[in-house]
Amino acid sequence: MLAIFKREMRSYFTSPVGYMFSAIFFAVSGFLFMLQTVQAGENADYTSYFSLILFLFIVIIPLLTMKLISEERKMRTDQLIMTAPITLADIVFGKYLAALAMFGGCFLISSIIYYIPLAMYGTPNLALYVGCVIGVFLVGSAFISIGIFISSLTENQFISAFGTIGAIIFLLFVSALNNYINNETIRAFLSGISITNRYSYFAYGLFSYDSLLYFISLSAVFLFLTIRVFERRRWSKS
């Protein structure tokens, strides 16, 4: 798994993907932070900044995940790694952890940097700030697992990217469908799978074990499905 992790991390910085992701993330997040805090003055609300970051994921998460497995399939290098002396789980987790490290590194660095002026010129609620950071990180980790799964289904990177975009948009806005549905069972189901509803606990500074379990389970399910896709391809080639 460590070899796959190093390989993927190296690929992020030997191709434009890693630099594009970092540039877009820091530029847009910096602008959003300035808009919600510096220019807002007395009405500064950093919780809104973190909520907006969730919608930034629609663009930046597909950048990280679209080529992770799709490119392997296109270049036929997936057959090499599937016959390497490592398990399929090591392959999938290595790729997942590389994408997570890339995202998490940029996000955590920016969160620390942005907190400094808040602490210097005000009295931010540290528990609330940390809750938002944890919540956004968990959402990002779940979206990355979804992106990797979709990437495993196709060898076309653009289809992988658009599929991930569609999945993220659905999970972010699914709770809005409740406004048009009268069936309580369906409304409860949609609320249950809604990313924004789960994230809202952290945004209010509340550590929800249910929400934590939801994000971990969501990531685990899509990583498991990705492993199953690899297994199916391995047996189809044999």
Side-chain angles (χ1 to χ4, degrees):
M1 183 173 66
L2 183 60
I4 297 295
F5 174 80
K6 291 180 178 179
R7 175 174 175 265
E8 295 302 329
M9 287 299 295
R10 190 181 303 113
S11 71
Y12 280 131
F13 294 102
T14 55
S15 68
V17 174
Y19 300 100
M20 287 177 59
F21 173 84
S22 301
I24 293 174
F25 181 82
F26 283 118
V28 177
S29 66
F31 172 76
L32 293 176
F33 179 80
M34 181 186 66
L35 191 67
Q36 295 297 320
T37 59
V38 178
Q39 292 190 349
E42 295 181 356
N43 298 318
D45 182 12
Y46 51 83
T47 58
S48 297
Y49 156 73
F50 286 107
S51 296
L52 290 173
I53 290 295
L54 298 183
F55 297 96
L56 178 60
F57 287 164
I58 296 173
V59 176
I60 63 173
I61 294 299
L63 274 177
L64 285 180
T65 62
M66 65 181 186
K67 76 179 189 69
L68 281 177
I69 300 178
S70 296
E71 188 176 50
E72 300 276 10
R73 292 185 60 177
K74 183 177 181 179
M75 303 300 293
R76 298 295 185 266
T77 54
D78 61 329
Q79 300 175 24
L80 295 176
I81 61 175
M82 283 193 294
T83 55
I86 54 176
T87 66
L88 296 179
D90 288 338
I91 297 171
V92 173
F93 279 111
K95 290 177 175 291
Y96 172 73
L97 291 177
L100 187 61
M102 188 70 193
F103 155 70
C106 292
F107 174 63
L108 294 178
I109 289 172
S110 67
S111 297
I112 294 171
I113 292 174
Y114 297 157
Y115 183 79
I116 294 174
L118 291 176
M120 290 177 61
Y121 300 105
T123 55
N125 186 325
L126 180 59
L128 183 61
Y129 192 88
V130 171
C132 290
V133 171
I134 293 174
V136 172
F137 181 81
L138 290 173
V139 173
S141 65
F143 284 161
I144 288 172
S145 68
I146 294 171
I148 290 177
F149 169 67
I150 295 175
S151 179
S152 70
L153 299 177
T154 177
E155 63 182 35
N156 189 307
Q157 295 185 33
F158 292 103
I159 294 177
S160 172
F162 285 121
T164 304
I165 290 172
I168 292 175
I169 290 175
F170 172 76
L171 288 173
L172 287 175
F173 292 98
V174 66
S175 61
L177 297 176
N178 283 337
N179 297 326
Y180 309 98
I181 297 174
N182 294 323
N183 188 290
E184 289 299 324
T185 302
I186 297 177
R187 288 167 63 91
F189 172 76
L190 294 178
S191 297
I193 65 172
S194 171
I195 287 285
T196 51
N197 285 354
R198 299 289 183 171
Y199 165 75
S200 62
Y201 290 98
F202 296 97
Y204 288 121
L206 303 174
F207 189 86
S208 170
Y209 287 102
D210 289 342
S211 297
L212 176 64
L213 180 61
Y214 166 80
F215 287 119
I216 293 175
S217 300
L218 188 63
S219 299
V221 165
F222 280 98
L223 291 177
F224 172 76
L225 291 175
T226 305
I227 295 172
R228 297 290 301 186
V229 171
F230 266 107
E231 288 178 345
R232 187 185 64 181
R233 285 180 54 79
R234 168 182 280 181
W235 289 110
S236 65
K237 294 295 182 180
S238 60

